Amino acid sequence: MRVTRETRERTRQGLLDAARELFGEVGFAAATTRGIARRAGVGTGTLFNYFPGKEALGMALIVEGVAAAEAEFDRTRREDETLEEALFAFVATQLRHLRPCRGWLRGVLDAGASPVRSGELDGGFRARQLERIERWLVAAGLDGDATLSLHLWWTLYLGVLDFWTRDDTDHQEATLALLDRSMGLFVRGLREDTGARSKP
């Protein structure tokens, strides 16, 4: 029997919904592919036809949240904001959209988005993030050592996300303070590096 595109998409979305629920109930570490498949009403083998494991399911949910955040950010971005302001707003918007994932986000990022991982599990998440940041750095004239700058950004970004998952201050004010300081230090560091390299 041939599976239609609509059926495939419905099954995929059912798996994502089941994973989101189970991760929220028992946490990422305790959730199993068998439990996710059972909740979605499919066999475990079917789950593996769509996702190589629970890490890929978790990353797909994060990518979904980040895509919604990026769309909101692009609609509401001010033309006159500085690079520091844009970076702060970009990450803050993502945190807002990732709030339903906050309790299990760290487990997924450790498994699929670590700075030392190759990125095969992240569904293009890292590549899309870094392409956007690189465009902004080029536009600001801060793209000197792009590889180092982007690696620094990714490590800083993951650090902010990790800190946010453990921040128990009201409305995660400590994360927002860390984010503000980090974005300022990141951009100032790139400016100082660019200035030092341009001197004879």
Side-chain angles (χ1 to χ4, degrees):
M1 178 173 135
R2 190 163 176 230
V3 178
T4 65
R5 181 181 306 190
E6 293 79 18
T7 301
R8 283 188 60 77
E9 185 50 41
R10 201 167 36 250
T11 301
R12 182 181 186 281
Q13 191 58 52
L15 288 163
L16 288 170
D17 293 342
R20 182 184 292 112
E21 291 170 7
L22 200 56
F23 293 160
E25 290 171 16
V26 303
F28 179 75
T32 64
T33 52
R34 181 174 295 174
I36 293 166
R38 186 179 312 119
R39 183 165 294 208
V42 300
T44 307
T46 300
L47 181 149
F48 290 120
N49 288 334
Y50 290 83
F51 299 96
K54 72 178 183 179
E55 295 83 4
L57 273 158
M59 283 305 305
L61 291 168
I62 292 170
V63 167
E64 193 177 83
V66 168
E70 289 176 348
E72 177 188 327
F73 175 82
D74 290 340
R75 279 192 318 273
T76 60
R77 184 175 182 195
R78 292 186 354 252
E79 291 297 320
D80 63 338
E81 65 190 356
T82 65
L83 179 59
E84 293 97 323
E85 291 169 335
L87 291 169
F88 177 91
F90 182 62
V91 178
T93 304
Q94 288 183 25
L95 296 179
R96 208 168 43 253
H97 281 267
L98 290 173
R99 184 167 300 282
C101 309
R102 187 169 175 256
W104 50 265
L105 181 79
R106 188 170 0 133
V108 176
L109 292 177
D110 287 347
S114 160
V116 296
R117 292 266 204 166
S118 66
E120 70 276 1
L121 292 176
D122 73 6
F125 174 59
R126 179 180 4 201
R128 283 192 303 281
Q129 292 276 312
L130 294 182
E131 285 169 11
R132 180 182 288 252
I133 299 305
E134 185 172 28
R135 283 194 308 270
W136 290 352
L137 295 181
V138 168
L142 299 174
D143 59 321
D145 187 347
T147 302
L148 180 61
S149 298
L150 293 176
H151 187 74
L152 178 60
W153 165 263
W154 188 246
T155 303
L156 180 65
Y157 173 74
L158 291 180
V160 168
L161 290 180
D162 182 66
F163 184 87
W164 174 66
T165 65
R166 293 178 280 150
D167 181 2
D168 59 2
T169 59
D170 292 341
H171 310 291
Q172 286 76 56
E173 286 114 351
T175 298
L176 296 177
L178 173 69
L179 179 59
D180 183 49
R181 184 160 172 79
S182 298
M183 297 306 99
L185 289 171
F186 176 68
V187 174
R188 279 194 301 279
L190 294 179
R191 285 197 178 117
E192 288 171 11
D193 182 54
T194 302
R197 281 185 293 102
S198 64
K199 291 180 182 172

